[in-house]
Amino acid sequence: MAEIIQERIEDRLPELEQLERIGLFSHAEIKAIIKKASDLEYKIQRRTLFKEDFINYVQYEINLLELIQRRRTVTIGYSFKKDEIENSIVHRVQGVFQRASAKWKDDVQLWLSYVVFCKKWATKTQLSKVFSAMLAIHSNKPALWIMAAKWEMEDRLSSESISNSFFGTRFHPECAKLYKEYFRMELMHGKLRKEKEEFEKASMDVVRNLKMKLARIIYKNSVSIIKGAEFHVSLLSIAQLFDFAKDLQKEIYDDLQTLHTDDPLTWDYVARRELEIESQTGEEQPTTKQAKAVEVGRKEERCCAVYEEAVKTLPTEAMWKCYITFCLERFTKKSNSGFLRGKRLERTMTSFRKAHELKLLSECQYKQLIVCLLCHKFLREALEVAVAGTELFRDSGTMWQLKLRVLIESKSPDIAMLFEEAFVHLKPQVCLPLWISWAEWEEDAKSQEDTEAVFKKALLAVIGADSVTLKNKYLIGLIKVATESLQESRPFSVDFFRKMIQFEKEQNPAICYLIVCFVFFLKDLWMDYMKEELNHPLGRPENCGQIYWRAEMQGESAEAFVAKHAMHQTGHL
């Protein structure tokens, strides 16, 4: 092994001599490089090999390459002798990578590191060989095939190499992503060749026709293997990125309508396409804001006409979902035109009523529509949807909550009655949010008696773990009312509040202290609050830092607070 290491060090000597001779490194630095290289060589030549040693070897050589590059540019400005120096190092690193990738073939990250190194330092031919070797071992990974094909196209502009890289479709005949990338790259390659030929002022027809034929073959083969409108639409979207592929776009579009008439995605795509169709060539283009709004309205009408035909041809929940989703998207789109906003609202409500009558909308869509209408303050329409939703989904607590939210925002007088109605239809285990909402609504209405009455009803109706949450809410409400009323009867002593806290803290000590400290600004209680967090079974010691700074915010400096309570802190921390 010593002979091998000595031989490899001697192989380095010509490049090291050149580095010293041209002034890139001093004699002392060369000696240090030889010593480090000897250590690294020993580790990758011993009998038991570790991947980390190979990685460290490669990283050292890369650092050396970068240092040489910097010194060439900044220090001496000398660009000669690269064959004897840099190319020698690159060749050596490639040898190390080859050994490592042969031993740890399954390590994809190691292969990718090899690729990254070759992209920066090696020739294109060498990198192409690395990709071939990697794909021979990892042919089961579509992402690697795509990576190789992208490099062949972007860096080499090689049609033959791209086709070879997409040999992966044989290993992954049902991988949609692989076909889409193959299709896109062939069209992209045709575009790049077209631009290059036009720049050189040469004839382009033969090349363009050849690339179109190849792209069409890829399209036909892929859709015969991968079925479904989603994949078909994705290929059409790719083709639309290339102006010279108009005929191919039309073919794909016609096939979509022929092959996937029973797929909602097809109808959705055809309908939305109307938004992209511009006015006829002979028609005058709109110039004013009002005229542009009218034109947008016409496009949306054409979209809805397609959707109307779609829901008649394909009356399914999935098709109605596409229709309603489109209406909501247009409804939420900002516009300064009152005419356009009104039309969008009208279309949304009309489509909703039809879908609701057929019972072909999911609960999620009712919720989306209610929230959307609420955000835009269309309370009457939101209530219409909410009423329809609770009729259809009577056992949904969320639907009842949304209906109550609409009524509360509408300031309806029937809110209490509706809460009672909701509890009739809902299971007890989903009622907790409604009870809390009712209590909070009564509290906001400044009705203390009604708030207490709601909590008492709730405590009788709610059982199990939910009742604990409800009791805590009730307790907090009572403490809040008590502290607000006591504020009018000041002053009180600290002992008074300590007795009050002692009485209540078994339920929630942190909240008791927090309310008293903040409402009454009693600085002497802050330390008690900290000790309670430290010692109580339900306490949270990590909160002590926050409590400390809250105390300081009350007006007492940090130093004074610490000095005043140092003895207490020493005893309890």
Side-chain angles (χ1 to χ4, degrees):
M1 187 177 73
E3 292 177 359
I4 296 174
I5 295 171
Q6 184 62 32
E7 183 181 346
R8 290 182 63 83
I9 293 299
E10 288 176 359
D11 290 341
R12 288 174 176 261
L13 292 179
E15 75 195 48
L16 296 174
E17 289 171 358
Q18 291 290 354
L19 286 172
E20 185 177 358
R21 190 179 69 79
I22 64 178
L24 283 172
F25 286 87
S26 66
H27 182 70
E29 288 175 323
I30 295 297
K31 288 180 67 176
I33 291 173
I34 292 173
K35 184 178 185 306
K36 181 66 176 177
S38 299
D39 294 339
L40 292 170
E41 288 288 353
Y42 171 78
K43 289 180 179 177
I44 67 168
Q45 298 298 337
R46 58 190 174 184
R47 183 170 297 178
T48 304
L49 300 177
F50 298 96
K51 184 166 51 179
E52 292 73 16
D53 294 332
F54 283 80
I55 294 171
N56 291 337
Y57 189 111
V58 167
Q59 189 58 58
Y60 177 77
E61 296 286 16
I62 290 173
N63 292 342
L64 184 59
L65 279 169
E66 290 175 346
L67 181 58
I68 293 169
Q69 199 173 54
R70 278 199 307 274
R71 289 191 177 182
R72 278 188 183 278
T73 305
V74 178
T75 309
I76 64 172
Y78 186 86
S79 60
F80 301 105
K81 301 293 182 181
K82 286 191 175 181
D83 284 342
E84 292 93 330
I85 300 173
E86 281 93 333
N87 290 355
S88 175
I89 298 173
V90 168
H91 182 72
R92 185 165 56 250
V93 172
Q94 284 182 299
V96 175
F97 263 125
Q98 286 169 3
R99 282 187 61 197
S101 57
K103 182 167 181 60
W104 294 284
K105 294 178 182 179
D106 295 333
D107 191 334
V108 176
Q109 191 57 50
L110 183 62
W111 280 103
L112 293 177
S113 298
Y114 193 1
V115 167
V116 170
F117 173 79
C118 288
K119 278 185 177 181
K120 183 171 183 181
W121 299 102
T123 65
K124 291 180 180 180
T125 304
Q126 289 169 324
L127 180 53
S128 188
K129 291 178 180 177
V130 174
F131 272 125
S132 298
M134 178 176 67
L135 291 173
I137 295 168
H138 295 284
S139 58
N140 61 331
K141 295 178 174 60
L144 298 182
W145 289 99
I146 292 170
M147 179 192 295
K150 281 185 176 179
W151 177 79
E152 294 288 359
M153 184 195 73
E154 293 169 2
D155 291 281
R156 300 193 72 189
L157 199 61
S158 169
S159 178
E160 182 182 351
S161 298
I162 293 172
S163 299
N164 291 338
S165 295
F166 277 109
F167 186 72
T169 53
R170 298 190 180 184
F171 295 95
H172 307 279
E174 296 183 359
C175 179
K177 188 174 182 181
L178 206 54
Y179 281 109
K180 284 190 284 187
E181 287 297 329
Y182 192 8
F183 182 66
R184 184 185 70 82
M185 287 184 195
E186 285 297 346
L187 289 172
M188 179 64 75
H189 186 256
K191 179 183 177 183
L192 293 173
R193 287 293 297 267
K194 176 184 175 183
E195 291 172 352
K196 183 179 178 182
E197 294 291 344
E198 286 177 349
F199 179 76
E200 295 172 354
K201 298 183 179 179
S203 174
M204 170 60 200
D205 292 339
V206 175
V207 175
R208 181 174 19 177
N209 290 335
L210 181 62
K211 301 312 293 181
M212 286 298 300
K213 284 181 181 178
L214 186 53
R216 185 177 180 276
I217 291 170
I218 297 168
Y219 156 67
K220 287 293 187 182
N221 288 344
S222 62
V223 296
S224 68
I225 296 170
I226 301 174
K227 308 296 182 181
E230 183 179 0
F231 178 69
H232 212 119
V233 167
S234 68
L235 292 183
L236 180 54
S237 300
I238 292 169
Q240 286 175 332
L241 298 173
F242 303 92
D243 293 336
F244 65 87
K246 295 292 184 185
D247 292 341
L248 182 58
Q249 292 171 23
K250 185 178 185 306
E251 182 180 353
I252 298 174
Y253 181 72
D254 291 342
D255 288 348
L256 174 67
Q257 290 182 292
T258 303
L259 298 173
H260 304 290
T261 313
D262 58 346
D263 194 315
L265 190 60
T266 300
W267 287 98
D268 191 45
Y269 182 86
V270 172
R272 290 173 180 272
R273 194 165 179 261
E274 295 293 332
L275 289 174
E276 301 168 7
I277 299 175
E278 300 297 333
S279 304
Q280 297 297 324
T281 310
E283 294 181 11
E284 185 179 347
Q285 296 297 317
T287 53
T288 65
K289 288 184 179 180
Q290 184 177 357
K292 288 179 180 178
V294 171
E295 177 62 21
V296 171
R298 286 175 185 165
K299 290 181 179 180
E300 291 177 357
E301 288 290 351
R302 293 200 299 268
C303 293
C304 289
V306 176
Y307 278 117
E308 288 291 340
E309 183 184 351
V311 293
K312 289 177 184 175
T313 307
L314 200 65
T316 63
E317 183 177 312
M319 190 67 253
W320 275 105
K321 180 181 179 180
C322 292
Y323 190 4
I324 295 294
T325 301
F326 171 79
C327 290
L328 279 174
E329 285 176 6
R330 303 310 297 178
F331 174 70
T332 54
K333 195 173 181 64
K334 290 184 178 181
S335 174
N336 293 325
S337 170
F339 162 79
L340 201 55
R341 290 197 304 270
K343 279 288 184 183
R344 287 170 176 172
L345 176 62
E346 181 185 343
R347 280 195 294 265
T348 302
M349 294 307 297
T350 301
S351 60
F352 160 73
R353 291 177 187 124
K354 290 178 181 178
H356 172 68
E357 188 177 341
L358 295 169
K359 296 183 179 179
L360 287 174
L361 285 182
S362 65
E363 180 183 345
C364 180
Q365 287 179 287
Y366 281 89
K367 294 173 185 175
Q368 285 178 340
L369 187 51
I370 294 167
V371 171
C372 182
L373 291 166
L374 277 174
C375 288
H376 291 81
K377 303 301 179 185
F378 289 106
L379 299 178
R380 181 168 57 84
E381 289 81 1
L383 183 58
E384 179 187 342
V385 179
V387 169
T390 50
E391 286 177 359
L392 205 56
F393 304 99
R394 290 182 177 274
D395 58 347
S396 170
T398 310
M399 191 63 72
W400 282 100
Q401 276 187 287
L402 283 172
K403 184 177 180 180
L404 287 160
R405 179 181 160 189
V406 175
L407 288 172
I408 289 170
E409 292 196 21
S410 305
K411 302 189 184 303
S412 169
D414 303 324
I415 295 174
M417 185 174 64
L418 187 66
F419 273 112
E420 296 282 9
E421 183 186 350
F423 296 133
V424 172
H425 297 289
L426 295 174
K427 295 178 181 178
Q429 55 264 38
V430 299
C431 288
L432 178 63
L434 283 176
W435 283 113
I436 292 173
S437 297
W438 192 2
E440 288 175 348
W441 174 70
E442 294 286 6
E443 189 177 3
D444 290 340
K446 305 297 181 184
S447 175
Q448 180 55 33
E449 290 183 7
D450 291 341
T451 304
E452 285 196 37
V454 170
F455 269 120
K456 288 175 181 177
K457 283 184 182 179
L459 289 170
L460 294 173
V462 178
I463 57 174
D466 288 345
S467 66
V468 177
T469 304
L470 202 58
K471 288 171 184 176
N472 284 341
K473 283 275 185 185
Y474 187 23
L475 176 62
I476 292 168
L478 290 174
I479 293 173
K480 186 177 178 182
V481 171
T483 51
E484 286 175 355
S485 62
L486 284 171
Q487 273 188 307
E488 300 173 1
S489 305
R490 292 189 183 193
F492 289 101
S493 66
V494 173
D495 287 340
F496 171 83
F497 289 110
R498 282 181 174 149
K499 287 178 182 178
M500 173 183 169
I501 290 168
Q502 183 62 35
F503 179 74
E504 299 288 358
K505 74 179 183 181
E506 292 180 7
Q507 297 295 324
N508 199 326
I511 291 177
C512 293
Y513 274 106
L514 196 57
I515 291 173
V516 172
C517 290
F518 268 111
V519 174
F520 294 95
F521 307 106
L522 295 173
K523 298 172 185 174
D524 288 342
L525 291 178
W526 283 106
M527 193 60 201
D528 290 351
Y529 185 7
M530 288 176 66
K531 288 190 288 184
E532 198 64 36
E533 288 285 21
L534 287 167
N535 300 326
H536 195 278
L538 299 177
R540 299 177 63 186
E542 65 270 19
N543 289 343
C544 288
Q546 294 180 358
I547 297 169
Y548 174 88
W549 291 112
R550 283 174 177 172
E552 186 188 1
M553 288 169 62
Q554 291 287 316
E556 186 172 14
S557 69
E559 292 80 4
F561 184 75
V562 171
K564 188 171 183 179
H565 300 288
M567 187 178 297
H568 295 292
Q569 289 179 342
T570 304
H572 290 276
L573 293 178

